[in-house]
Amino acid sequence: MASDTSNVLTDRNELNEMFLGILRNISSGIFTRQDTENQAKNLLIHYSDFWLAYAMAAMMYWYADERNNAETTLQKALTLNREKTALFFSLFCVKNERMEAAELWIAQFMQEQNAQQVYAGFILILNMMAAGFLSTEMVNEISDTLTRWGSELAENPAVEEAQEDAWKNFMKGLSKQAALPEILHFKQLNVLPNQTNAEELLKGARIHELLLERLQHLMEAPDAGVKQEDKLEQWLEIFVTSQVSGAEWVDIHSDYSSLLTCAAQDWGDTDTFALNANAGRFIVASSARWIRNAYEDVAGEGIRKVPALISFQVRYQFLRQNYRFEYTIRNGLDEPAVIAQFRETFAPVHKEAREAYTWIRQSVVADGLLAGVAGLVYFGGAWIFANHFLGVSVLILIIAIAILGLIGGILGGAILLAAAYYLTRFLHENMEMFAASLGAGLIIFPVVYYLKAMGNRRIIDREAQHTSDSVEDIIREAMAETADFRDYYARYTAVGRKTRQFIAEMNPDNYLNLGKRIRRN
């Protein structure tokens, strides 16, 4: 229930249904005078601090022709809440075609309002104006008041900034809910400068289209299919129900600009006040400058986040070494140049790895050692064994023991010593075999080293090809994603021209009073 009652209602829905039942049937004659009077007394007994109970009782006393009680009860309602009582009787009298009384109540309600403090229920007055239920004079009077309020608040930077901020938040909310085509998948562009990514930027770019669609839907959609005479009953019941149920807006007062902003944003969603189409259009059109400024800020913020050149970095491994390739992409069409750049960077790495496996140098060294040992054995072997047998024997044994252990070293050393001794003698006695063996060795070593080097190079080439393919695939993926991103971003932002034009053409004077207003000079 509303905040100005001290009674705790056991069933708000039951009380609301009772109030609505009275409103729907009070003028039908189904209630006797005594029933009406008893019902009024019952309300005052049970809800003695609730302004609406007094307002309803005053109305029932009036229908029961209890004018003194009606006047007394009405004054109590006005004492408890003059503003809401005036709005209630404004709606009730217009609904029952008591226009003189209605306009007196509307004037009293308007006296309670000012630019800085407007009751949220004022939207219901706008509804009646836009639907053509008020006289031209009353419409002119209220319209002049709204113009004055708007001009006054337009000079207040804090109020203007608050509306623009509210619209910016509203538009950012639209962008967050935006959907992108299923074909768009961003893996390489999931991290961009300014702590954003391609998907977020594209959703932000959709604000041009989403805002245009939203405004077109609100400004061009037909009124709800409710009969003209039923609208007044609907608005009266909305107001009564809000007071009983304690709706969120039941006690809300705000400056006129903030009221317009809240009502404009609410209209496309919950439509709390069952806005007449022209009332809604007037509210939205009155918000045009805030919408335009907020739109330009949100759109500009998104554009500033889009880098002209997108920097990428590929980390890869080649032969257990870590490398990094850095490059930039403009629009995704520079794929050949970037791949050529990578190949140029990777080629020296590949070449250096291949050259580590050579065969000529190893072959020359091996052949030189072979020839040297052969010469030593052939020309100096006999002399060494004849003059330094003991020293050679001890040296061989020490080496053998160090490698094979004590027992194994002794046995292996003895075998190696005997083999060297008899080999030396054998070579001296078989010169032809010695020369053939030496020649074969000098040929075999280069062949073996060559085959080994070529095998290692083939392994390196395969690894290099695999690495190159992997990096180039990543580059191509980044190029494709960038091309898609640039393409869709351009499509979305191109709608901005239509959006700006639509906002520029919104004029509140086109909607509020259905052409009834007589302009004053």
Side-chain angles (χ1 to χ4, degrees), residues 231-483:
K231 291 178 181 179
L232 289 167
E233 182 175 345
Q234 182 183 17
W235 295 331
L236 176 59
E237 292 185 0
I238 285 174
F239 179 60
V240 169
T241 299
S242 72
Q243 305 305 305
V244 177
S245 64
E248 183 179 353
W249 61 272
V250 68
D251 289 317
I252 294 295
H253 291 74
S254 66
D255 62 80
Y256 175 59
S257 296
S258 297
L259 179 63
L260 291 177
T261 296
C262 292
Q265 295 178 4
D266 173 81
W267 185 27
D269 296 324
T270 56
D271 195 13
T272 302
F273 299 100
L275 280 177
N276 166 272
N278 276 330
R281 291 165 187 159
F282 167 80
I283 290 170
V284 175
S286 297
S287 307
R289 71 175 182 277
W290 307 318
I291 295 174
R292 181 189 64 245
N293 293 341
Y295 165 67
E296 295 296 352
D297 284 350
V298 171
E301 182 181 331
I303 291 173
R304 287 190 295 273
K305 287 183 178 180
V306 178
L309 294 175
I310 302 177
S311 299
F312 285 92
Q313 183 182 98
V314 181
R315 296 179 181 274
Y316 63 96
Q317 194 176 70
F318 177 59
L319 300 179
R320 300 183 180 179
Q321 295 293 318
N322 294 321
Y323 297 90
R324 180 176 62 190
F325 175 62
E326 296 179 345
Y327 59 102
T328 58
I329 301 177
R330 181 176 297 278
N331 53 18
L333 303 179
D334 38 0
E335 177 184 313
V338 174
I339 289 181
Q341 180 185 348
F342 165 70
R343 290 176 178 174
E344 183 179 349
T345 302
F346 184 61
V349 176
H350 179 200
K351 181 179 179 182
E352 182 180 355
R354 292 184 92 255
E355 289 179 350
Y357 292 96
T358 62
W359 63 276
I360 297 177
R361 183 173 62 251
Q362 289 90 335
S363 298
V364 170
V365 172
D367 282 356
L369 289 174
L370 177 61
V373 171
L376 179 64
V377 170
Y378 185 80
F379 294 106
W383 180 84
I384 291 172
F385 278 107
N387 296 286
H388 300 285
F389 182 80
L390 181 60
V392 172
S393 300
V394 171
L395 178 62
I396 290 176
L397 286 173
I398 291 174
I399 295 174
I401 292 172
I403 296 174
L404 302 174
L406 180 60
I407 297 176
I410 294 173
L411 291 175
I415 295 171
L416 180 61
L417 183 62
Y421 177 76
Y422 285 108
L423 178 60
T424 300
R425 291 186 60 187
F426 176 78
L427 291 176
H428 272 279
E429 295 173 357
N430 297 274
M431 182 60 184
E432 295 81 1
M433 184 173 289
F434 173 76
S437 300
L438 177 60
L442 294 175
I443 294 173
I444 289 173
F445 274 122
V447 172
V448 170
Y449 278 113
Y450 174 80
L451 294 176
K452 182 178 180 182
M454 293 302 103
N456 287 329
R457 287 185 177 183
R458 282 193 293 272
I459 294 173
I460 290 173
D461 289 343
R462 285 196 298 269
E463 182 68 21
Q465 188 63 49
H466 174 73
T467 301
S468 181
D469 290 344
S470 299
V471 174
E472 289 178 19
D473 286 344
I474 293 174
I475 293 173
R476 291 188 179 94
E477 186 176 36
M479 290 289 175
E481 290 182 10
T482 302

Side-chain angles (χ1 to χ4, degrees), residues 83-151:
E83 179 182 61
K84 292 182 179 179
T85 299
L87 180 56
F88 170 77
F89 281 107
S90 298
L91 293 164
F92 179 79
C93 290
V94 173
K95 173 181 177 294
N96 288 279
E97 299 182 0
R98 300 179 181 273
M99 297 311 300
E100 287 188 18
E103 295 195 352
L104 289 174
W105 282 115
I106 291 173
Q108 191 167 156
F109 173 79
M110 293 300 294
Q111 289 175 5
E112 301 293 317
Q113 315 302 309
N114 61 71
Q116 296 291 342
Q117 287 288 315
V118 183
Y119 179 48
F122 173 69
I123 298 298
L124 297 169
I125 299 291
L126 285 181
N127 269 340
M128 293 192 294
M129 291 176 64
F133 291 115
L134 305 185
S135 69
T136 299
E137 290 76 14
M138 178 57 67
V139 168
N140 284 341
E141 186 175 334
I142 296 176
S143 297
D144 289 342
T145 299
L146 299 186
T147 300
R148 186 176 67 254
W149 287 353
S151 299

